[in-house]
Amino acid sequence: MTSSVICLYFPGYPKEGSWLEEGKEEGKVQRYFCPRCCSSFSKKANMLTHFRYECGKEPRFQCPYCGKRDRKSSNTYRHIRTCHKGSRIQAYRLY
């Protein structure tokens, strides 16, 4: 069963048959496409997380030391660990 999703940025994409992509070992692997930006994901849950919280949204987390903003808290925590060594690891949630 193929869903009829139309990409807003690339009309006509994904094309018929592009829902399946060749896998290395198992032959065919189903891909899930974001209806807004056409990013593809191997798991439906990852696509839904991207669609709900990341795609087309402003960053939700901010570094308290330099103001760098990101859509994922894990990226903000990694930034603080690598760029602000010795500082308390805490991210501000903007909304």
Side-chain angles (χ1 to χ4, degrees), residues 34-36 46-55 57:
C34 173
R36 285 192 194 126
N46 293 344
M47 187 275 296
L48 291 174
T49 299
H50 163 79
F51 183 76
R52 289 180 187 140
Y53 301 109
E54 299 168 16
C55 188
K57 306 275 173 87

Side-chain angles (χ1 to χ4, degrees), residues 43-77:
K43 295 182 180 175
K44 187 175 182 178
N46 293 344
M47 187 275 296
L48 291 174
T49 299
H50 163 79
F51 183 76
R52 289 180 187 140
Y53 301 109
E54 299 168 16
C55 188
K57 306 275 173 87
E58 289 293 317
R60 298 188 312 156
F61 302 96
Q62 182 174 356
C63 172
Y65 305 108
C66 69
K68 181 185 181 311
R69 297 169 52 184
D70 206 300
R71 289 180 177 89
K72 293 184 178 181
S73 62
S74 60
N75 292 345
T76 303
Y77 292 135

Side-chain angles (χ1 to χ4, degrees), residues 18-22 29-33 39-43:
S18 67
W19 290 94
L20 296 177
E21 201 172 89
E22 288 294 327
V29 177
Q30 175 136 12
R31 304 296 295 178
Y32 299 91
F33 291 86
S39 295
S40 70
F41 301 88
S42 60
K43 295 182 180 175

